[in-house]
Amino acid sequence: MYIYFMPYMNLAEVQEYAIWLGMDLEEDKELIWIAEEGLKAPCPEHWKACKTLKGDVYYFNFANGESIWDHPLDEHYRKLFLQEREKQRCTRKRRREEAAGQLQQSKKAEVANGPGLGAGEISQNA
């Protein structure tokens, strides 16, 4: 990805990076902030963005001599995305289970009180 030198981000760049991180743009739209943050992330200490003679961007660590093609923090943002997506899925599952439980309670109350009566209502015929 060669978008780390951009002084600003446009939507297409954010979406491209989000997909590269593994996001589904529709399903994971609430997590797009991770892609935005990842694109703005500076290189960690000792790392510097460099260019080959052909103009390709790579990253070089001046402390240990390592060079890589991807931004040194890309893996961090990929893991962050996976963690946040899992949290989000667990929250959605818990909410669905709570809603199902409330619906079941409502149906039990309806059966106990007779049709058309809510919980706590008293029939006029009683």
Side-chain angles (χ1 to χ4, degrees):
M1 309 220 62
Y2 306 125
I3 51 184
Y4 300 102
F5 288 102
M6 299 291 176
Y8 60 89
M9 291 178 285
N10 65 40
L11 181 59
E13 292 167 333
V14 173
Q15 290 175 335
E16 179 184 353
Y17 186 62
I19 291 168
W20 189 84
L21 289 173
M23 289 186 198
D24 175 295
L25 295 179
E26 185 59 35
E27 184 179 325
D28 300 317
K29 61 186 170 192
E30 294 173 9
L31 300 175
I32 200 74
W33 62 268
I34 297 170
E36 292 170 348
E37 189 176 302
L39 286 174
K40 292 188 284 187
C43 287
E45 184 178 11
H46 305 297
W47 286 95
K48 186 168 185 161
C50 304
K51 286 188 179 183
T52 66
L53 294 175
K54 292 182 179 181
D56 295 326
V57 177
Y58 68 97
Y59 297 88
F60 186 77
N61 184 318
F62 285 87
N64 64 16
E66 180 183 4
S67 64
I68 56 176
W69 290 108
D70 297 327
H71 190 284
L73 294 177
D74 280 348
E75 192 57 32
H76 163 76
Y77 286 102
R78 182 176 283 124
K79 287 178 182 176
L80 177 62
F81 159 65
L82 293 173
Q83 290 169 350
E84 292 298 319
R85 182 176 65 181
E86 186 60 28
K87 278 191 225 174
Q88 194 176 63
R89 287 179 177 173
C90 288
T91 299
R92 286 179 186 154
K93 181 180 178 188
R94 188 183 75 246
R95 287 181 182 159
R96 280 193 305 269
E97 289 169 352
E98 289 171 355
Q102 290 172 352
L103 181 61
Q104 190 174 22
Q105 289 288 348
S106 177
K107 286 182 179 182
K108 284 181 181 179
E110 186 176 310
V111 169
N113 294 321
L117 298 177
E121 291 183 34
I122 300 173
S123 171
Q124 295 295 327
N125 298 332

